[in-house]
Amino acid sequence: EAQVTQNPRYLITVTGKKLTVTCSQNMNHEYMSWYRQDPGLGLRQIYYSMNVEVTDKGDVPEGYKVSRKEKRNFPLILESPSPNQTSLYFCASSIGTASPDTQYFGPGTRLTVL
Amino acid sequence: KQEVTQIPAALSVPEGENLVLNCSFTDSAIYNLQWFRQDPGKGLTSLLLIQSSQREQTSGRLNASLDKSSGRSTLYIAASQPGDSATYLCAVREGSGGSNYKLTFGKGTLLTVNP
């Protein structure tokens, strides 16, 4: 089954404790991206990647890191999480360079930083 | 900076009605526009994608139109059903494609279809 998976689905952590949220897709997609969704602010793009070793900032990259060492994986790293990073995070992927470039979303990771 | 606005923020209709959701964007230099559905606590599901060169796309009871020059898109839902209740989001991909993959989302329209 074609899908985007995220782990963990729920995470409660404390300020300053490094964490990684994994994202994996099995569709051989070139493009992958991370978003956060907050009430009243909607979905905002954090980082995206057009291919292996190619990443770029979205609208809200501060406090986040990403890496794209393999085509299927695109982990989101919070080196020193803070309470304002409490949010619902989504990973997405798409073909990238072909049309139609439909976005496929993961189920989301709900992160709470205390 | 691209801004995407969706009106109305919430809509409640009786079952069977035809309805229109609106999406507007400030920068007409877009590559494509996509409509999504989001159920509570779930991820987004793509409904329709319109390339910048296209005027509309249809899937079943859904029809999406795009007027790039005026910065507007509409999602038309025919014969609405309670199962259509969800939040509907539109998103625009900027630029001419290639390596620019900035996506900007609207805040969504919460649709409730009453039996």
Side-chain angles (χ1 to χ4, degrees):
Chain A
E1 179 190 355
Q3 59 182 353
V4 178
T5 57
Q6 296 178 226
N7 282 293
R9 294 288 315 279
Y10 303 90
L11 179 60
I12 301 174
T13 189
V14 295
T15 299
K17 186 176 181 181
K18 180 179 178 180
L19 66 92
T20 299
V21 184
T22 64
C23 174
S24 182
Q25 50 91 7
N26 63 358
M27 295 169 278
N28 200 36
H29 283 168
E30 291 184 353
Y31 169 83
M32 297 184 75
S33 184
W34 277 102
Y35 301 87
R36 60 179 290 174
Q37 187 174 35
D38 302 287
L41 296 176
L43 268 158
R44 293 177 293 169
Q45 193 175 36
I46 303 172
Y47 270 97
Y48 63 92
S49 169
M50 285 301 293
N51 214 325
V52 174
E53 303 292 1
V54 180
T55 63
D56 209 345
K57 297 177 181 179
D59 287 323
V60 288
E62 297 78 19
Y64 304 95
K65 286 177 59 177
V66 293
S67 68
R68 187 91 180 273
K69 293 185 171 60
E70 305 167 282
K71 198 170 187 178
R72 64 181 293 129
N73 296 322
F74 190 44
L76 180 68
I77 302 159
L78 284 72
E79 295 267 0
S80 183
S82 62
N84 64 14
Q85 293 179 298
T86 293
S87 186
L88 180 58
Y89 291 86
F90 289 103
C91 179
S93 74
S94 70
I95 292 174
T97 54
S99 178
D101 190 31
T102 301
Q103 296 283 306
Y104 294 85
F105 276 74
T109 294
R110 188 166 293 281
L111 171 65
T112 302
V113 183
L114 302 175
Chain B
K1 181 184 173 184
Q2 179 75 269
E3 292 182 6
V4 178
T5 303
Q6 291 188 243
I7 294 173
L11 181 63
S12 181
V13 300
E15 182 176 4
E17 270 206 6
N18 302 325
L19 57 100
V20 174
L21 307 181
N22 297 291
C23 172
S24 62
F25 46 95
T26 54
D27 186 346
S28 61
I30 67 169
Y31 183 66
N32 63 37
L33 183 146
Q34 198 162 347
W35 282 93
F36 295 87
R37 169 190 173 131
Q38 184 176 26
D39 293 289
K42 301 286 179 65
L44 281 69
T45 301
S46 178
L47 297 172
L48 291 164
L49 183 149
I50 312 177
Q51 293 296 129
S52 61
S53 58
Q54 297 175 324
R55 298 285 290 186
E56 66 177 346
Q57 284 285 338
T58 298
S59 176
R61 294 183 293 108
L62 306 180
N63 175 277
S65 67
L66 174 64
D67 184 342
K68 200 174 112 170
S69 60
S70 68
R72 293 182 183 182
S73 176
T74 61
L75 179 66
Y76 174 82
I77 302 176
S80 58
Q81 304 169 358
D84 294 331
S85 298
T87 297
Y88 291 80
L89 299 120
C90 71
V92 298
R93 178 180 170 184
E94 297 179 12
S96 56
S99 62
N100 183 345
Y101 216 114
K102 288 203 68 178
L103 270 180
T104 304
F105 281 80
K107 294 180 181 178
T109 294
L110 175 60
L111 172 66
T112 303
V113 181
N114 301 301

